[in-house]
Amino acid sequence: MTDTEARADLVARAADAGARVALESFREELTVETKADKTDVVTQIDRDAQRRVVETIHEEYDDPVIGEEEGASKTIPEEGPAWVVDPIDGTNNFVRGLRIWGTSVASVVDGEPVAAATVLPALADTYLAGAERVTLNGDPVRVSSREDPDAFVVDPILLDDAADTAGVDVLAERFGDYRRLGCAQATLAAVASGSLDAAITTVRMHPWDTIAGAHMIHNAGGTVTDLDGEPWRHDSRGLVASNGAAHEEVLAAAQRAAGE
C-alpha cells in the first residue's frame, strides 16, 4: 500500500469514527452554544466527534490536525503532511434534526489534498476520494453531464451578507433551479456525484468546510476556481465549483452575485 493509499484508507476510517459519535446524539436533547453569531452554533458533540477523529488519526500518524473546534490548529502548513477535520459540517441542520450533516476529513501534503472522506451518517452516504476516482457508498461517481445552464441546479453555499438576496436572485434568473443544503461538504460532494451541477460561495471559507469536497470535484472530472477564475486553493477568496461543462457561465453568475 502506498502512502497515499494509506492516507485514503485512514480518512475514511477517521470520518466514520467521528460520524458514529455524532450519530449517537442525533435528534437527542442538546445544549447548543453560539460562536460568532446566532446561526453559528456548536455543541459538545462537535467537540467529542473531533476528538474521536483526531484520536483515530494519531493512532497511525503524528501529523498536525487542522480542525474547526478548539484544540486544533486553524492554518494549513504549506510544507509537509496535515489533516483537515470538520467533525460536524452542517451543525445547524444537526441541531434541528435535519439529516444533511456529516463528518469530513482530508489529508493534505504541502498544502494540497491527496485524500478525502465525507460521511453523512443520517443519510447512510459515504463519499471517498483518493488520488484519482471518487466513490459514493463504494460505487464510482462523476460530475453531471449537463451542458445547458438553464437545466442546472446550483447551490449558493454562502454569499456575502450584504449581497445575499441579490445573489440568490442572480442564480435563480440564470439557472434552472437552486438548492441550499445547509452543509458545505455535502453540497460539494453532491456536485462531485452529479446530483448538483454547481455550487458557489462568494466569501473566503474555512478549509475544513471546503477542501475535502473540492478534492472530490477535481477527481470526479469537475472544475473548481476562485472568484477570479484562478485554480482554487484552501486560502482562496470564494469558491466556484461546477461540472466543467459551463463553468464560465457559473463563474460569471458568481461574480455578479458578489457584486463584481
Side-chain angles (χ1 to χ4, degrees):
M1 181 182 291
T2 67
D3 184 62
T4 297
E5 290 170 338
R7 290 176 180 276
D9 177 71
L10 185 53
V11 294
R13 290 189 285 112
D16 183 67
R20 288 176 182 272
V21 170
L23 186 61
E24 289 176 356
S25 297
F26 182 52
R27 292 181 172 170
E28 299 293 332
E29 186 173 348
L30 299 169
T31 299
V32 180
E33 306 165 37
T34 58
K35 298 181 186 177
D37 56 55
K38 292 181 179 179
T39 61
D40 188 6
V41 299
V42 65
T43 71
Q44 184 59 42
I45 310 307
D46 294 78
R47 302 182 185 104
D48 293 344
Q50 178 167 291
R51 187 177 303 112
R52 185 69 191 100
V53 171
V54 174
E55 289 172 350
T56 303
I57 292 169
H58 282 168
E59 287 171 0
E60 299 188 26
Y61 290 89
D62 191 26
D63 300 332
V65 175
I66 292 83
E68 180 172 13
E69 306 309 332
E70 59 192 39
S73 174
K74 306 303 176 187
T75 304
I76 294 180
E78 290 301 316
E79 295 183 357
W83 305 79
V84 186
V85 176
D86 195 336
I88 302 180
D89 189 38
T91 301
N92 263 308
N93 286 348
F94 179 82
V95 302
R96 292 171 179 268
L98 299 173
R99 294 180 180 273
I100 304 176
W101 58 271
T103 301
S104 178
V105 181
S107 174
V108 299
V109 177
D110 297 335
E112 297 296 332
V114 298
T118 294
V119 178
L120 310 175
L123 298 175
D125 282 341
T126 295
Y127 295 84
L128 302 177
E132 296 178 357
R133 69 174 189 164
V134 182
T135 62
L136 169 56
N137 298 334
D139 296 323
V141 292
R142 298 280 294 174
V143 295
S144 76
S145 58
R146 296 179 189 88
E147 298 181 359
D148 183 358
D150 290 338
F152 273 28
V153 177
V154 180
D155 188 313
I157 298 173
L158 185 63
L159 305 180
D160 181 85
D161 287 345
D164 187 83
T165 301
V168 170
D169 287 345
V170 167
L171 299 184
E173 291 169 3
R174 182 62 194 93
F175 303 107
D177 202 354
Y178 67 91
R179 299 280 189 280
R180 258 185 166 159
L181 301 187
C183 174
Q185 294 288 14
T187 297
L188 297 174
V191 175
S193 65
S195 298
L196 294 173
D197 304 295
I200 71 165
T201 172
T202 60
V203 299
R204 182 177 283 107
M205 295 184 70
H206 299 297
W208 48 81
D209 291 321
T210 52
I211 198 163
H215 180 59
M216 291 178 188
I217 293 169
H218 276 302
N219 281 14
T223 301
V224 188
T225 68
D226 63 16
L227 275 176
D228 296 320
E230 298 298 321
W232 183 86
R233 277 179 45 90
H234 60 81
D235 54 357
S236 292
R237 179 182 69 96
L239 181 152
V240 183
S242 78
N243 64 2
H247 190 79
E248 292 304 317
E249 293 277 359
V250 178
L251 177 61
Q255 291 170 340
R256 291 198 301 275
E260 299 181 359

